[in-house]
Amino acid sequence: MHISLQTFLDVTEHANGLQDWQQEYCQLEAGFYSGQTVDIRWGKLRLFREKANLAVTQKIHFPDHQQHIAIPLVQTKGGLFKNNALSLFPHAHSFRAYAPSNYDVLILSVERQKYPFLGHNAHQMRVLSIDAETFTLVKNEWQALTDYVRTQHFVEENLYDVFMRKIEDGIALLLEQQCNMDRDESYYGTRRYIVDHCQAMIEASPHAPPSLMQLCRQLKISRRTLQYSFESEANCTPLHYIRALRLNAVRRRLLSSEQPTTVISAAAEQGFFHQSYFTRIYQQHFSETPSQTIKRAQAEYNA
């Protein structure tokens, strides 16, 4: 995995800063330019975040083997992308766009062959249909991920798998429900069987629970089947189930006297990068804050 954070004080340096993309930017507004990118790459997947304080025009040449999807993080007037929606870039040799001042956008790049349905009307800019709840969930997760890079400036290698699971889960939520995937579900006769095997897989890796995509791949089922199985057998979604396991894993780390840690580190190990969100759901789940858990553990250890 490659993770980088770059800050630019010149629009041309900004355009040249993204590896494998050929870009040309022109600054439209007078003023002191400030731009930034967070780039996360693993194999054929890429998630990057780009922002700048001034309006620019952009001429972009995309890598041919990838499809690119934009998720705007701030509401803007004008510009290329529709607010609160997934915008699919056209498949073209070169592409021109306008980015308004203070734009802040996530770009997801996926293998074109893996999602052939994205090739429909490929030469047009399109908006993908996605429900608001799912869109907001994934947007917030990926924003928190890139915010972590921006604030910490360095990501330890033990968090690489966590980052990848967060990105893969987001892709599953955004894209794979729209894809008519081939699946072999006949072998899995009952939903109970599916939940039991998911539980076994999760227990086999207690400190790094598998992602939704990994569960589906291992069991050779669709995400919808996974969803129905957990709802009928565990009375919750698989996302809620895995989140509960992750929260419990954080709690075990905080209670451990043999491996003392900070709240930020323990949360990050389980994929929680937005601290206020993590603290809120942790308190909802355990009726105490993470810091209260640490204080209680220290008091019991010193008693």
Side-chain angles (χ1 to χ4, degrees):
M1 173 175 275
H2 171 82
I3 301 176
S4 66
L5 170 68
Q6 296 186 84
T7 301
F8 307 98
L9 302 180
D10 178 85
V11 69
T12 301
E13 291 178 357
H14 187 162
N16 295 332
L18 193 62
Q19 185 176 338
D20 299 329
W21 282 45
Q22 299 176 25
Q23 302 185 112
E24 181 181 290
Y25 287 6
C26 293
Q27 180 176 323
L28 292 180
E29 296 177 317
F32 182 79
Y33 185 85
S34 177
Q36 188 181 72
T37 60
V38 175
D39 191 11
I40 304 171
R41 286 181 283 135
W42 185 316
K44 297 177 180 179
L45 286 180
R46 186 176 207 166
L47 177 70
F48 71 90
R49 179 176 175 181
E50 182 176 61
K51 59 186 302 184
N53 65 327
L54 300 178
V56 298
T57 62
Q58 302 168 317
K59 182 180 179 181
I60 308 168
H61 176 68
F62 306 115
D64 290 334
H65 65 285
Q66 290 182 316
Q67 186 73 61
H68 312 284
I69 301 166
I71 304 175
L73 296 178
V74 296
Q75 299 277 345
T76 59
K77 291 184 178 180
L80 181 65
F81 310 124
K82 184 177 179 181
N83 292 318
N84 298 317
L86 296 177
S87 296
L88 189 63
F89 284 90
H91 185 199
H93 178 72
S94 62
F95 182 73
R96 294 183 182 275
Y98 162 77
S101 57
N102 298 310
Y103 76 91
D104 190 355
V105 63
L106 289 166
I107 305 292
L108 171 69
S109 298
V110 297
E111 193 70 7
R112 189 180 299 277
Q113 292 181 347
K114 187 173 181 179
Y115 300 97
F117 71 97
L118 294 177
H120 180 65
N121 292 328
H123 297 289
Q124 300 177 11
M125 190 77 184
R126 289 159 290 153
V127 175
L128 295 181
S129 176
I130 191 78
D131 65 273
E133 182 179 0
T134 300
F135 175 83
T136 301
L137 172 65
V138 175
K139 182 184 76 170
N140 290 346
E141 288 277 5
W142 287 354
Q143 182 172 359
L145 206 67
T146 53
D147 280 341
Y148 182 85
V149 178
R150 294 175 61 220
T151 56
Q152 299 298 316
H153 301 286
F154 175 78
V155 178
E156 297 179 352
E157 289 189 11
N158 66 314
L159 295 181
Y160 284 2
D161 285 343
V162 177
F163 268 56
M164 202 59 228
R165 287 200 307 275
K166 304 286 277 188
I167 295 173
E168 286 188 335
D169 277 350
I171 293 172
L173 289 169
L174 294 177
L175 297 183
E176 298 212 347
Q177 62 176 301
Q178 304 184 45
C179 181
N180 184 20
M181 300 173 62
D182 293 331
R183 45 188 189 267
D184 178 12
E185 299 170 9
S186 58
Y187 176 73
Y188 301 95
T190 67
R191 292 172 177 173
R192 180 74 257 166
Y193 184 91
I194 292 174
V195 173
D196 287 346
H197 275 253
C198 286
Q199 178 70 49
M201 292 169 60
I202 293 167
E203 289 177 349
S205 184
H207 299 295
S211 69
L212 298 182
M213 284 182 69
Q214 288 170 331
L215 291 174
C216 291
R217 287 169 183 164
Q218 285 289 104
L219 298 176
K220 297 181 181 178
I221 59 174
S222 68
R223 188 179 175 277
R224 177 170 296 181
T225 297
L226 186 73
Q227 181 92 3
Y228 288 163
S229 298
F230 273 86
E231 288 178 349
S232 64
E233 298 296 328
N235 198 32
C236 67
T237 66
L239 207 60
H240 177 90
Y241 195 91
I242 294 176
R243 187 182 73 175
L245 294 177
R246 290 162 56 207
L247 286 171
N248 278 272
V250 174
R251 186 175 179 82
R252 285 191 292 270
R253 286 283 282 121
L254 297 180
L255 290 171
S256 174
S257 59
E258 298 179 355
Q259 295 179 310
T261 186
T262 64
V263 172
I264 291 177
S265 296
E269 287 174 4
Q270 291 299 321
F272 296 109
F273 297 99
H274 193 295
Q275 286 303 302
S276 61
Y277 168 75
F278 165 71
T279 300
R280 184 174 70 253
I281 63 172
Y282 184 97
Q283 186 172 15
Q284 289 173 348
H285 205 79
F286 298 113
S287 298
E288 66 178 11
T289 65
S291 59
Q292 288 172 332
T293 300
I294 290 179
K295 290 180 180 178
R296 183 166 54 80
Q298 290 174 341
E300 293 175 357
Y301 180 75
N302 295 326

